[in-house]
Amino acid sequence: MKKIVIAAALLMSALSFPSFAEGVKQDASQKWTDARKRATAERVRQECLHAWNGYKKYAWGHDEVLPVSNQPRDWYGVSLLMTPVDALDTLHLMGLTKEADEARALIDTKLSFDQDVEVKAFEISIRLLGGLNSAYQLTGDPRLLALADDLGTRLLPIFESPTGLPYVSINLKTGKVSGVDSCPAEAGSYLFEFGTLSKLTGKKIYYEKAKRAVVAVYDRQSPLGLVGATMNIETGKWTSDTCQVGALVDAYYEYLLKCAILFGDKDCERMWRSSIASVNKYVADETHGGLWYGQTNMNTGERQATHYGALDAYFPALLALNKDLPRAKRLEDSCYKMWTLAGVEPEQLDYSTMTITSPGYVLRPEIIESAYYLYTDTKDPKYLDMGSMFLDSIVKYCRTDTAFTALDNVEKKKQGDDMESFFFAETLKYLYLLYAPKKTLDLGKVVFNSEAHPIRRYFSP
């Protein structure tokens, strides 16, 4: 019990365009004083409470709330408490103690993975396994670790392929696996959650299986040091030769660096150093006076497309974590241009023409995540200005009487009817941390998984 208390205490202390300057001219009367930052953090906190109360009123005990029709939604026909698990560490960090206690009680008493349902393993890993790991470190609640261990055991059969690459889906009750068409973002992105579970439980198998999978992706890179977008996990053959940093590939690159930091894993560090050098050489694109990352043929290095989107906007944060601040700052300026094009970022645009190619906005957090990392590293108030603009836009266009909703079209500001659990886990968390006192979370002592669940570092550099 003493170790649990110490671990929880340590994490709580840790859970301490035109160019942007041309586009936003700061009013001298609106400088970012400590009082203004506290007020903005409190505003985010109240918006989180608004969304949480909407979930409680219309979807308590279900995965998500539909924030326009006010109906509950379960991903697989039965509830896995997606929103309570994803939101729990955010509620703790914001000091919403009553709400956090209610969520934890619901999880402790109602969450069961003994369900005859086929689930997408990657999504379940980053949201539920990652959320349970983090919440256990925060609270010391042994029931949360028991649930994580049970889930990890149920997911292990995904790694039993001829190549060691994981199958896409699994039945939580029977262990039957399916889905051979995968991508690096799924196949190579389990080590963070499974590695953490290995450290928490002492069971080496979790680390070993997930480590084998990420190495299996890396070993299939091209002579240029690039990976493709999709692959067959049983043959190990690439089914798409497109290399990019966003959708289908993002979490793979993210976890190479983060697992090197979190666990002091030298193999991950080596794979990351090699990979980022190739990505910067072949995928980065200097155009129209800005820095973007597009699509490149993994075998030839030739440019295939000039698409960039909301998912790609995590990359400035990753560059900042890699201490490459010049690139990180320039790329975040490009992300800012993407957001201001229509007042809310689109899912995707063609940066060579600055035209929107996919007009939805599903409440994604990545651009806010990058602003948070860059402000943490630079203390440049322009990132606070950015965050304030992101918050204003989300409240103006996405807020409903119940919670917040995705937009079907950012140009027309047409609302949909969907609020995925990552809105609590990531979007609201990063907005809050951007303005909250440093003692709320010390980024130097934790590493976030892809769903923004913070885990205390197991390796001190």
Side-chain angles (χ1 to χ4, degrees), residues 397-418:
Y397 299 119
C398 302
R399 199 179 198 270
T400 73
D401 290 341
T402 295
F404 290 81
T405 188
L407 298 178
D408 290 339
N409 189 302
V410 297
E411 294 172 298
K412 299 178 181 179
K413 308 301 186 292
K414 180 184 176 183
Q415 289 191 342
D417 189 15
D418 185 45

mmCIF file with all atom_site columns, all heavy atoms in Angstrom, residues 397-418:
data_model
loop_
_atom_site.group_PDB
_atom_site.id
_atom_site.type_symbol
_atom_site.label_atom_id
_atom_site.label_alt_id
_atom_site.label_comp_id
_atom_site.label_asym_id
_atom_site.label_entity_id
_atom_site.label_seq_id
_atom_site.pdbx_PDB_ins_code
_atom_site.Cartn_x
_atom_site.Cartn_y
_atom_site.Cartn_z
_atom_site.occupancy
_atom_site.B_iso_or_equiv
_atom_site.pdbx_formal_charge
_atom_site.auth_seq_id
_atom_site.auth_comp_id
_atom_site.auth_asym_id
_atom_site.auth_atom_id
_atom_site.pdbx_PDB_model_num
ATOM 1   N N   . TYR A 1 397 ? -18.860 27.172 -31.993 1.00 0.00 ? 397 TYR A N   1
ATOM 2   C CA  . TYR A 1 397 ? -19.434 26.382 -33.072 1.00 0.00 ? 397 TYR A CA  1
ATOM 3   C C   . TYR A 1 397 ? -19.847 24.954 -32.670 1.00 0.00 ? 397 TYR A C   1
ATOM 4   O O   . TYR A 1 397 ? -20.669 24.345 -33.350 1.00 0.00 ? 397 TYR A O   1
ATOM 5   C CB  . TYR A 1 397 ? -18.446 26.299 -34.240 1.00 0.00 ? 397 TYR A CB  1
ATOM 6   C CG  . TYR A 1 397 ? -18.102 27.638 -34.841 1.00 0.00 ? 397 TYR A CG  1
ATOM 7   C CD1 . TYR A 1 397 ? -16.790 28.102 -34.835 1.00 0.00 ? 397 TYR A CD1 1
ATOM 8   C CD2 . TYR A 1 397 ? -19.087 28.442 -35.403 1.00 0.00 ? 397 TYR A CD2 1
ATOM 9   C CE1 . TYR A 1 397 ? -16.470 29.342 -35.382 1.00 0.00 ? 397 TYR A CE1 1
ATOM 10  C CE2 . TYR A 1 397 ? -18.770 29.680 -35.952 1.00 0.00 ? 397 TYR A CE2 1
ATOM 11  C CZ  . TYR A 1 397 ? -17.465 30.124 -35.938 1.00 0.00 ? 397 TYR A CZ  1
ATOM 12  O OH  . TYR A 1 397 ? -17.146 31.351 -36.480 1.00 0.00 ? 397 TYR A OH  1
ATOM 13  N N   . CYS A 1 398 ? -19.261 24.425 -31.604 1.00 0.00 ? 398 CYS A N   1
ATOM 14  C CA  . CYS A 1 398 ? -19.478 23.014 -31.269 1.00 0.00 ? 398 CYS A CA  1
ATOM 15  C C   . CYS A 1 398 ? -20.301 22.802 -30.005 1.00 0.00 ? 398 CYS A C   1
ATOM 16  O O   . CYS A 1 398 ? -20.760 21.680 -29.758 1.00 0.00 ? 398 CYS A O   1
ATOM 17  C CB  . CYS A 1 398 ? -18.128 22.301 -31.109 1.00 0.00 ? 398 CYS A CB  1
ATOM 18  S SG  . CYS A 1 398 ? -17.061 22.393 -32.574 1.00 0.00 ? 398 CYS A SG  1
ATOM 19  N N   . ARG A 1 399 ? -20.500 23.815 -29.205 1.00 0.00 ? 399 ARG A N   1
ATOM 20  C CA  . ARG A 1 399 ? -21.232 23.662 -27.950 1.00 0.00 ? 399 ARG A CA  1
ATOM 21  C C   . ARG A 1 399 ? -22.717 23.460 -28.226 1.00 0.00 ? 399 ARG A C   1
ATOM 22  O O   . ARG A 1 399 ? -23.297 24.120 -29.083 1.00 0.00 ? 399 ARG A O   1
ATOM 23  C CB  . ARG A 1 399 ? -21.038 24.879 -27.068 1.00 0.00 ? 399 ARG A CB  1
ATOM 24  C CG  . ARG A 1 399 ? -21.360 24.660 -25.582 1.00 0.00 ? 399 ARG A CG  1
ATOM 25  C CD  . ARG A 1 399 ? -21.097 25.959 -24.820 1.00 0.00 ? 399 ARG A CD  1
ATOM 26  N NE  . ARG A 1 399 ? -20.974 25.759 -23.390 1.00 0.00 ? 399 ARG A NE  1
ATOM 27  C CZ  . ARG A 1 399 ? -21.979 25.811 -22.518 1.00 0.00 ? 399 ARG A CZ  1
ATOM 28  N NH1 . ARG A 1 399 ? -23.203 26.032 -22.964 1.00 0.00 ? 399 ARG A NH1 1
ATOM 29  N NH2 . ARG A 1 399 ? -21.758 25.659 -21.228 1.00 0.00 ? 399 ARG A NH2 1
ATOM 30  N N   . THR A 1 400 ? -23.322 22.541 -27.492 1.00 0.00 ? 400 THR A N   1
ATOM 31  C CA  . THR A 1 400 ? -24.765 22.331 -27.540 1.00 0.00 ? 400 THR A CA  1
ATOM 32  C C   . THR A 1 400 ? -25.330 22.509 -26.136 1.00 0.00 ? 400 THR A C   1
ATOM 33  O O   . THR A 1 400 ? -24.581 22.688 -25.167 1.00 0.00 ? 400 THR A O   1
ATOM 34  C CB  . THR A 1 400 ? -25.117 20.920 -28.053 1.00 0.00 ? 400 THR A CB  1
ATOM 35  O OG1 . THR A 1 400 ? -24.814 19.953 -27.032 1.00 0.00 ? 400 THR A OG1 1
ATOM 36  C CG2 . THR A 1 400 ? -24.342 20.577 -29.323 1.00 0.00 ? 400 THR A CG2 1
ATOM 37  N N   . ASP A 1 401 ? -26.629 22.441 -26.022 1.00 0.00 ? 401 ASP A N   1
ATOM 38  C CA  . ASP A 1 401 ? -27.244 22.553 -24.695 1.00 0.00 ? 401 ASP A CA  1
ATOM 39  C C   . ASP A 1 401 ? -26.825 21.401 -23.787 1.00 0.00 ? 401 ASP A C   1
ATOM 40  O O   . ASP A 1 401 ? -26.872 21.522 -22.558 1.00 0.00 ? 401 ASP A O   1
ATOM 41  C CB  . ASP A 1 401 ? -28.770 22.576 -24.817 1.00 0.00 ? 401 ASP A CB  1
ATOM 42  C CG  . ASP A 1 401 ? -29.291 23.855 -25.448 1.00 0.00 ? 401 ASP A CG  1
ATOM 43  O OD1 . ASP A 1 401 ? -28.543 24.852 -25.455 1.00 0.00 ? 401 ASP A OD1 1
ATOM 44  O OD2 . ASP A 1 401 ? -30.432 23.859 -25.950 1.00 0.00 ? 401 ASP A OD2 1
ATOM 45  N N   . THR A 1 402 ? -26.408 20.296 -24.395 1.00 0.00 ? 402 THR A N   1
ATOM 46  C CA  . THR A 1 402 ? -26.044 19.098 -23.630 1.00 0.00 ? 402 THR A CA  1
ATOM 47  C C   . THR A 1 402 ? -24.544 18.986 -23.392 1.00 0.00 ? 402 THR A C   1
ATOM 48  O O   . THR A 1 402 ? -24.102 18.704 -22.278 1.00 0.00 ? 402 THR A O   1
ATOM 49  C CB  . THR A 1 402 ? -26.530 17.845 -24.374 1.00 0.00 ? 402 THR A CB  1
ATOM 50  O OG1 . THR A 1 402 ? -27.953 17.872 -24.413 1.00 0.00 ? 402 THR A OG1 1
ATOM 51  C CG2 . THR A 1 402 ? -26.058 16.577 -23.686 1.00 0.00 ? 402 THR A CG2 1
ATOM 52  N N   . ALA A 1 403 ? -23.753 19.208 -24.430 1.00 0.00 ? 403 ALA A N   1
ATOM 53  C CA  . ALA A 1 403 ? -22.309 18.996 -24.327 1.00 0.00 ? 403 ALA A CA  1
ATOM 54  C C   . ALA A 1 403 ? -21.616 19.724 -25.483 1.00 0.00 ? 403 ALA A C   1
ATOM 55  O O   . ALA A 1 403 ? -21.808 20.923 -25.673 1.00 0.00 ? 403 ALA A O   1
ATOM 56  C CB  . ALA A 1 403 ? -22.000 17.500 -24.338 1.00 0.00 ? 403 ALA A CB  1
ATOM 57  N N   . PHE A 1 404 ? -20.796 18.975 -26.262 1.00 0.00 ? 404 PHE A N   1
ATOM 58  C CA  . PHE A 1 404 ? -20.149 19.518 -27.455 1.00 0.00 ? 404 PHE A CA  1
ATOM 59  C C   . PHE A 1 404 ? -20.278 18.490 -28.569 1.00 0.00 ? 404 PHE A C   1
ATOM 60  O O   . PHE A 1 404 ? -20.278 17.283 -28.315 1.00 0.00 ? 404 PHE A O   1
ATOM 61  C CB  . PHE A 1 404 ? -18.665 19.813 -27.195 1.00 0.00 ? 404 PHE A CB  1
ATOM 62  C CG  . PHE A 1 404 ? -18.439 20.978 -26.279 1.00 0.00 ? 404 PHE A CG  1
ATOM 63  C CD1 . PHE A 1 404 ? -18.524 20.833 -24.901 1.00 0.00 ? 404 PHE A CD1 1
ATOM 64  C CD2 . PHE A 1 404 ? -18.164 22.236 -26.796 1.00 0.00 ? 404 PHE A CD2 1
ATOM 65  C CE1 . PHE A 1 404 ? -18.335 21.906 -24.056 1.00 0.00 ? 404 PHE A CE1 1
ATOM 66  C CE2 . PHE A 1 404 ? -17.967 23.331 -25.954 1.00 0.00 ? 404 PHE A CE2 1
ATOM 67  C CZ  . PHE A 1 404 ? -18.054 23.160 -24.585 1.00 0.00 ? 404 PHE A CZ  1
ATOM 68  N N   . THR A 1 405 ? -20.347 18.963 -29.792 1.00 0.00 ? 405 THR A N   1
ATOM 69  C CA  . THR A 1 405 ? -20.518 18.041 -30.904 1.00 0.00 ? 405 THR A CA  1
ATOM 70  C C   . THR A 1 405 ? -19.522 18.307 -32.014 1.00 0.00 ? 405 THR A C   1
ATOM 71  O O   . THR A 1 405 ? -19.025 19.425 -32.176 1.00 0.00 ? 405 THR A O   1
ATOM 72  C CB  . THR A 1 405 ? -21.941 18.121 -31.482 1.00 0.00 ? 405 THR A CB  1
ATOM 73  O OG1 . THR A 1 405 ? -22.116 17.077 -32.447 1.00 0.00 ? 405 THR A OG1 1
ATOM 74  C CG2 . THR A 1 405 ? -22.196 19.471 -32.164 1.00 0.00 ? 405 THR A CG2 1
ATOM 75  N N   . ALA A 1 406 ? -19.241 17.266 -32.780 1.00 0.00 ? 406 ALA A N   1
ATOM 76  C CA  . ALA A 1 406 ? -18.430 17.384 -33.974 1.00 0.00 ? 406 ALA A CA  1
ATOM 77  C C   . ALA A 1 406 ? -19.152 18.236 -35.008 1.00 0.00 ? 406 ALA A C   1
ATOM 78  O O   . ALA A 1 406 ? -20.373 18.409 -34.960 1.00 0.00 ? 406 ALA A O   1
ATOM 79  C CB  . ALA A 1 406 ? -18.142 15.992 -34.543 1.00 0.00 ? 406 ALA A CB  1
ATOM 80  N N   . LEU A 1 407 ? -18.381 18.770 -35.950 1.00 0.00 ? 407 LEU A N   1
ATOM 81  C CA  . LEU A 1 407 ? -18.947 19.497 -37.080 1.00 0.00 ? 407 LEU A CA  1
ATOM 82  C C   . LEU A 1 407 ? -18.854 18.633 -38.324 1.00 0.00 ? 407 LEU A C   1
ATOM 83  O O   . LEU A 1 407 ? -17.807 18.053 -38.608 1.00 0.00 ? 407 LEU A O   1
ATOM 84  C CB  . LEU A 1 407 ? -18.197 20.806 -37.316 1.00 0.00 ? 407 LEU A CB  1
ATOM 85  C CG  . LEU A 1 407 ? -18.232 21.849 -36.190 1.00 0.00 ? 407 LEU A CG  1
ATOM 86  C CD1 . LEU A 1 407 ? -17.390 23.057 -36.576 1.00 0.00 ? 407 LEU A CD1 1
ATOM 87  C CD2 . LEU A 1 407 ? -19.656 22.267 -35.869 1.00 0.00 ? 407 LEU A CD2 1
ATOM 88  N N   . ASP A 1 408 ? -19.933 18.556 -39.066 1.00 0.00 ? 408 ASP A N   1
ATOM 89  C CA  . ASP A 1 408 ? -19.902 17.847 -40.349 1.00 0.00 ? 408 ASP A CA  1
ATOM 90  C C   . ASP A 1 408 ? -19.188 18.667 -41.411 1.00 0.00 ? 408 ASP A C   1
ATOM 91  O O   . ASP A 1 408 ? -18.593 18.113 -42.339 1.00 0.00 ? 408 ASP A O   1
ATOM 92  C CB  . ASP A 1 408 ? -21.323 17.534 -40.827 1.00 0.00 ? 408 ASP A CB  1
ATOM 93  C CG  . ASP A 1 408 ? -22.005 16.469 -39.977 1.00 0.00 ? 408 ASP A CG  1
ATOM 94  O OD1 . ASP A 1 408 ? -21.286 15.711 -39.298 1.00 0.00 ? 408 ASP A OD1 1
ATOM 95  O OD2 . ASP A 1 408 ? -23.239 16.407 -40.002 1.00 0.00 ? 408 ASP A OD2 1
ATOM 96  N N   . ASN A 1 409 ? -19.245 19.995 -41.259 1.00 0.00 ? 409 ASN A N   1
ATOM 97  C CA  . ASN A 1 409 ? -18.636 20.869 -42.255 1.00 0.00 ? 409 ASN A CA  1
ATOM 98  C C   . ASN A 1 409 ? -18.174 22.150 -41.573 1.00 0.00 ? 409 ASN A C   1
ATOM 99  O O   . ASN A 1 409 ? -18.995 22.906 -41.035 1.00 0.00 ? 409 ASN A O   1
ATOM 100 C CB  . ASN A 1 409 ? -19.643 21.184 -43.360 1.00 0.00 ? 409 ASN A CB  1
ATOM 101 C CG  . ASN A 1 409 ? -19.020 21.910 -44.539 1.00 0.00 ? 409 ASN A CG  1
ATOM 102 O OD1 . ASN A 1 409 ? -18.445 22.983 -44.388 1.00 0.00 ? 409 ASN A OD1 1
ATOM 103 N ND2 . ASN A 1 409 ? -19.130 21.322 -45.721 1.00 0.00 ? 409 ASN A ND2 1
ATOM 104 N N   . VAL A 1 410 ? -16.858 22.382 -41.573 1.00 0.00 ? 410 VAL A N   1
ATOM 105 C CA  . VAL A 1 410 ? -16.318 23.552 -40.883 1.00 0.00 ? 410 VAL A CA  1
ATOM 106 C C   . VAL A 1 410 ? -16.577 24.838 -41.659 1.00 0.00 ? 410 VAL A C   1
ATOM 107 O O   . VAL A 1 410 ? -16.603 25.924 -41.071 1.00 0.00 ? 410 VAL A O   1
ATOM 108 C CB  . VAL A 1 410 ? -14.814 23.401 -40.613 1.00 0.00 ? 410 VAL A CB  1
ATOM 109 C CG1 . VAL A 1 410 ? -14.549 22.223 -39.691 1.00 0.00 ? 410 VAL A CG1 1
ATOM 110 C CG2 . VAL A 1 410 ? -14.017 23.260 -41.911 1.00 0.00 ? 410 VAL A CG2 1
ATOM 111 N N   . GLU A 1 411 ? -16.751 24.738 -42.967 1.00 0.00 ? 411 GLU A N   1
ATOM 112 C CA  . GLU A 1 411 ? -17.017 25.940 -43.759 1.00 0.00 ? 411 GLU A CA  1
ATOM 113 C C   . GLU A 1 411 ? -18.438 26.434 -43.528 1.00 0.00 ? 411 GLU A C   1
ATOM 114 O O   . GLU A 1 411 ? -18.684 27.632 -43.408 1.00 0.00 ? 411 GLU A O   1
ATOM 115 C CB  . GLU A 1 411 ? -16.787 25.640 -45.237 1.00 0.00 ? 411 GLU A CB  1
ATOM 116 C CG  . GLU A 1 411 ? -15.314 25.343 -45.545 1.00 0.00 ? 411 GLU A CG  1
ATOM 117 C CD  . GLU A 1 411 ? -15.090 24.861 -46.966 1.00 0.00 ? 411 GLU A CD  1
ATOM 118 O OE1 . GLU A 1 411 ? -15.638 23.794 -47.312 1.00 0.00 ? 411 GLU A OE1 1
ATOM 119 O OE2 . GLU A 1 411 ? -14.370 25.550 -47.712 1.00 0.00 ? 411 GLU A OE2 1
ATOM 120 N N   . LYS A 1 412 ? -19.374 25.509 -43.419 1.00 0.00 ? 412 LYS A N   1
ATOM 121 C CA  . LYS A 1 412 ? -20.773 25.868 -43.183 1.00 0.00 ? 412 LYS A CA  1
ATOM 122 C C   . LYS A 1 412 ? -21.120 25.862 -41.698 1.00 0.00 ? 412 LYS A C   1
ATOM 123 O O   . LYS A 1 412 ? -22.225 26.247 -41.319 1.00 0.00 ? 412 LYS A O   1
ATOM 124 C CB  . LYS A 1 412 ? -21.684 24.904 -43.930 1.00 0.00 ? 412 LYS A CB  1
ATOM 125 C CG  . LYS A 1 412 ? -21.497 24.924 -45.447 1.00 0.00 ? 412 LYS A CG  1
ATOM 126 C CD  . LYS A 1 412 ? -22.393 23.905 -46.124 1.00 0.00 ? 412 LYS A CD  1
ATOM 127 C CE  . LYS A 1 412 ? -22.189 23.915 -47.637 1.00 0.00 ? 412 LYS A CE  1
ATOM 128 N NZ  . LYS A 1 412 ? -23.057 22.892 -48.304 1.00 0.00 ? 412 LYS A NZ  1
ATOM 129 N N   . LYS A 1 413 ? -20.186 25.412 -40.865 1.00 0.00 ? 413 LYS A N   1
ATOM 130 C CA  . LYS A 1 413 ? -20.391 25.287 -39.419 1.00 0.00 ? 413 LYS A CA  1
ATOM 131 C C   . LYS A 1 413 ? -21.596 24.404 -39.106 1.00 0.00 ? 413 LYS A C   1
ATOM 132 O O   . LYS A 1 413 ? -22.358 24.653 -38.170 1.00 0.00 ? 413 LYS A O   1
ATOM 133 C CB  . LYS A 1 413 ? -20.544 26.663 -38.765 1.00 0.00 ? 413 LYS A CB  1
ATOM 134 C CG  . LYS A 1 413 ? -19.435 27.643 -39.094 1.00 0.00 ? 413 LYS A CG  1
ATOM 135 C CD  . LYS A 1 413 ? -18.072 27.125 -38.675 1.00 0.00 ? 413 LYS A CD  1
ATOM 136 C CE  . LYS A 1 413 ? -16.963 28.150 -38.872 1.00 0.00 ? 413 LYS A CE  1
ATOM 137 N NZ  . LYS A 1 413 ? -16.668 28.446 -40.291 1.00 0.00 ? 413 LYS A NZ  1
ATOM 138 N N   . LYS A 1 414 ? -21.757 23.375 -39.900 1.00 0.00 ? 414 LYS A N   1
ATOM 139 C CA  . LYS A 1 414 ? -22.875 22.453 -39.734 1.00 0.00 ? 414 LYS A CA  1
ATOM 140 C C   . LYS A 1 414 ? -22.549 21.433 -38.647 1.00 0.00 ? 414 LYS A C   1
ATOM 141 O O   . LYS A 1 414 ? -21.586 20.681 -38.749 1.00 0.00 ? 414 LYS A O   1
ATOM 142 C CB  . LYS A 1 414 ? -23.170 21.732 -41.046 1.00 0.00 ? 414 LYS A CB  1
ATOM 143 C CG  . LYS A 1 414 ? -24.317 20.743 -40.964 1.00 0.00 ? 414 LYS A CG  1
ATOM 144 C CD  . LYS A 1 414 ? -24.491 19.986 -42.276 1.00 0.00 ? 414 LYS A CD  1
ATOM 145 C CE  . LYS A 1 414 ? -25.583 18.932 -42.155 1.00 0.00 ? 414 LYS A CE  1
ATOM 146 N NZ  . LYS A 1 414 ? -25.716 18.126 -43.400 1.00 0.00 ? 414 LYS A NZ  1
ATOM 147 N N   . GLN A 1 415 ? -23.361 21.392 -37.607 1.00 0.00 ? 415 GLN A N   1
ATOM 148 C CA  . GLN A 1 415 ? -23.128 20.474 -36.503 1.00 0.00 ? 415 GLN A CA  1
ATOM 149 C C   . GLN A 1 415 ? -23.556 19.048 -36.853 1.00 0.00 ? 415 GLN A C   1
ATOM 150 O O   . GLN A 1 415 ? -24.533 18.841 -37.568 1.00 0.00 ? 415 GLN A O   1
ATOM 151 C CB  . GLN A 1 415 ? -23.876 20.927 -35.250 1.00 0.00 ? 415 GLN A CB  1
ATOM 152 C CG  . GLN A 1 415 ? -23.293 22.163 -34.597 1.00 0.00 ? 415 GLN A CG  1
ATOM 153 C CD  . GLN A 1 415 ? -23.892 22.429 -33.239 1.00 0.00 ? 415 GLN A CD  1
ATOM 154 O OE1 . GLN A 1 415 ? -24.956 21.922 -32.884 1.00 0.00 ? 415 GLN A OE1 1
ATOM 155 N NE2 . GLN A 1 415 ? -23.204 23.231 -32.435 1.00 0.00 ? 415 GLN A NE2 1
ATOM 156 N N   . GLY A 1 416 ? -22.799 18.083 -36.336 1.00 0.00 ? 416 GLY A N   1
ATOM 157 C CA  . GLY A 1 416 ? -23.178 16.688 -36.417 1.00 0.00 ? 416 GLY A CA  1
ATOM 158 C C   . GLY A 1 416 ? -23.867 16.284 -35.122 1.00 0.00 ? 416 GLY A C   1
ATOM 159 O O   . GLY A 1 416 ? -24.557 17.092 -34.496 1.00 0.00 ? 416 GLY A O   1
ATOM 160 N N   . ASP A 1 417 ? -23.626 15.058 -34.688 1.00 0.00 ? 417 ASP A N   1
ATOM 161 C CA  . ASP A 1 417 ? -24.219 14.574 -33.435 1.00 0.00 ? 417 ASP A CA  1
ATOM 162 C C   . ASP A 1 417 ? -23.304 13.511 -32.845 1.00 0.00 ? 417 ASP A C   1
ATOM 163 O O   . ASP A 1 417 ? -23.653 12.346 -32.745 1.00 0.00 ? 417 ASP A O   1
ATOM 164 C CB  . ASP A 1 417 ? -25.620 14.003 -33.700 1.00 0.00 ? 417 ASP A CB  1
ATOM 165 C CG  . ASP A 1 417 ? -26.382 13.675 -32.405 1.00 0.00 ? 417 ASP A CG  1
ATOM 166 O OD1 . ASP A 1 417 ? -25.941 14.152 -31.342 1.00 0.00 ? 417 ASP A OD1 1
ATOM 167 O OD2 . ASP A 1 417 ? -27.399 12.966 -32.485 1.00 0.00 ? 417 ASP A OD2 1
ATOM 168 N N   . ASP A 1 418 ? -22.111 13.947 -32.434 1.00 0.00 ? 418 ASP A N   1
ATOM 169 C CA  . ASP A 1 418 ? -21.116 12.979 -31.967 1.00 0.00 ? 418 ASP A CA  1
ATOM 170 C C   . ASP A 1 418 ? -20.106 13.669 -31.061 1.00 0.00 ? 418 ASP A C   1
ATOM 171 O O   . ASP A 1 418 ? -19.607 14.759 -31.392 1.00 0.00 ? 418 ASP A O   1
ATOM 172 C CB  . ASP A 1 418 ? -20.405 12.353 -33.166 1.00 0.00 ? 418 ASP A CB  1
ATOM 173 C CG  . ASP A 1 418 ? -19.434 11.257 -32.758 1.00 0.00 ? 418 ASP A CG  1
ATOM 174 O OD1 . ASP A 1 418 ? -19.803 10.415 -31.920 1.00 0.00 ? 418 ASP A OD1 1
ATOM 175 O OD2 . ASP A 1 418 ? -18.303 11.254 -33.261 1.00 0.00 ? 418 ASP A OD2 1
#
